[in-house]
């Protein structure tokens, strides 16, 4: 039962690869639950977390659901902003220009600035 | 100040679950409120009632159960993660044809909506693990 009356601003920070642990899925589920309860939140992909945005990911061989496909459904949930660490994208050579989600790239100092703008940070 | 905690790591790997319980104890001792502790992903293993540790080792379960017992801290377990990790309360044990509950009664089966409620109603949400 949802009893919250207040609305907080939240930045969900995704720092882990999509299939190496359950954290990427846990973060996505938390984002979707937050959207369902009409909370105001943004997403930030950092470090290994940018692998979740890999355009060619295919999880069938591992027997998992494709997280990239679930991420692609995010625009349906009126998520305000999706941010990604520029250096991490470069390190893994990931191209997000054709991503179904609009993604804004940030450098280290912009990320530090961004993190001061929210009531809560949730790190996954 | 009103705190809520999010626990993402297993109590059997690293000290995150214990550190979180210690944080909750200290916050309460200083007059703060711990609104809810939410266990997600492998964090749900903190509720494992049948885990056996070495005799000379304190368990995270003891720390959590004390917080629930002495300070009425709500220990909310994400039901999807819990079922995946074999953690059943009596209702879920019956539903999944498991002969007994595997979850310590200090914990309550819950949904992600309660995590959203926890951060919406707290001044601070502290994440442990991950």
């Amino acid at each position: 039962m949802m009893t919250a009356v207040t609305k907080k601003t939240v930045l969900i920070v995704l720092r882990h690869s999509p299939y190496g642990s359950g954290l990427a899925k846990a973060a996505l589920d938390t984002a979707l639950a937050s959207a369902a309860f009409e909370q105001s939140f943004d997403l930030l992909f950092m470090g290994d977390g940018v692998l979740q945005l890999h355009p060619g990911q295919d999880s069938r061989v591992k027997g998992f659901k494709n997280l990239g496909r679930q991420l692609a459904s995010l625009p349906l949930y009126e998520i305000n902003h999706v941010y990604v660490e520029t250096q991490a994208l470069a390190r893994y050579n990931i191209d997000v220009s054709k991503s179904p989600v609009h993604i804004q790239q940030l450098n280290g100092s912009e990320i530090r600035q961004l993190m001061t703008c929210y009531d809560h940070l949730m790190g996954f | 100040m009103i705190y809520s905690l999010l626990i993402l790591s297993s109590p059997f790997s690293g000290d995150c679950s214990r550190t979180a319980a210690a944080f909750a104890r200290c916050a309460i001792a200083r007059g703060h409120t711990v609104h809810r502790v939410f266990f997600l992903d492998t964090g749900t293993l903190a509720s494992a009632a049948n885990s056996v540790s070495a005799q000379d080792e304190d368990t995270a379960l003891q720390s959590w159960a004390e917080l629930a017992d002495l300070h009425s801290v709500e220990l909310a377990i994400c039901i999807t993660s819990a079922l995946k990790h074999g953690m059943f309360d009596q209702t879920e044990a019956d539903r999944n044809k498991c002969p007994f509950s595997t979850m310590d009664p200090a914990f309550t089966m819950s949904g992600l909506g309660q995590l959203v409620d926890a951060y919406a109603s707290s001044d601070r949400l502290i994440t442990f693990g991950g």
Side-chain angles (χ1 to χ4, degrees):
Chain A
M1 184 73 167
M2 186 70 182
T3 54
V5 284
T6 45
K7 200 164 169 173
K8 295 278 168 77
T9 57
V10 184
L11 181 66
I12 298 177
V13 185
L14 303 97
R15 297 177 292 119
H16 288 83
S17 64
Y19 309 108
S21 70
L23 288 167
K25 177 80 169 72
L28 187 60
D29 289 345
T30 301
L32 296 181
S34 299
F37 290 106
E38 296 177 346
Q39 295 293 314
S40 173
F41 68 95
D42 296 333
L43 301 180
L44 167 64
F45 293 87
M46 291 180 72
D48 294 351
V50 300
L51 288 165
Q52 295 178 42
L53 301 169
H54 198 294
Q57 61 185 287
D58 182 354
S59 59
R60 278 174 301 184
V61 68
K62 290 180 184 285
F64 294 133
K65 274 191 192 159
N66 190 320
L67 271 188
R69 216 166 283 158
Q70 286 176 274
L71 281 171
S73 71
L74 286 178
L76 299 173
Y77 297 92
E78 294 180 17
I79 283 168
N80 299 330
H81 296 288
V82 178
Y83 300 103
V84 65
E85 181 194 358
T86 306
Q87 283 163 306
L89 280 184
R91 190 180 315 133
Y92 287 111
N93 194 24
I94 291 173
D95 177 12
V96 290
S97 62
K98 294 197 182 75
S99 166
V101 186
H102 177 69
I103 295 172
Q104 195 176 334
Q105 295 192 29
L106 302 177
N107 65 32
S109 64
E110 288 167 329
I111 286 172
R112 275 192 293 281
Q113 175 63 34
L114 181 78
M115 286 181 166
T116 63
C117 301
Y118 297 86
D119 294 316
H120 296 306
L121 295 180
M122 297 174 80
F124 288 89
Chain B
M1 195 170 269
I2 302 172
Y3 286 96
S4 282
L5 311 185
L6 169 62
I7 317 300
L8 294 172
S9 292
S10 160
F12 311 124
S13 171
D15 64 352
C16 123
S17 203
R18 267 172 242 221
T19 306
F23 177 90
R25 261 197 316 275
C26 292
I28 291 165
R30 290 191 171 205
H32 299 292
T33 303
V34 177
H35 172 64
R36 180 172 297 136
V37 183
F38 194 88
F39 298 83
L40 181 59
D41 198 37
T42 52
T44 53
L45 289 169
S47 68
N50 302 312
S51 154
V52 179
S53 296
Q55 280 183 346
D56 56 351
E57 223 173 56
D58 292 337
T59 66
L61 178 60
Q62 284 168 346
S63 309
W64 290 121
E66 268 173 32
L67 278 163
D69 199 28
L70 300 178
H71 304 290
S72 307
V73 171
E74 184 188 339
L75 307 175
I77 295 275
C78 168
I79 185 165
T80 316
S81 303
L83 296 182
K84 204 178 275 181
H85 289 91
M87 298 294 107
F88 301 130
D89 62 4
Q90 197 53 58
T91 310
E92 291 305 323
D94 294 344
R95 203 198 309 270
N96 292 285
K97 302 192 169 51
C98 176
F100 50 82
S101 161
T102 53
M103 180 183 280
D104 188 274
F107 295 78
T108 316
M109 211 56 116
S110 182
L112 275 170
Q114 292 299 320
L115 171 59
V116 179
D117 172 80
Y119 74 64
S121 0
S122 300
D123 300 308
R124 294 282 186 275
L125 173 79
I126 317 278
T127 310
F128 290 86

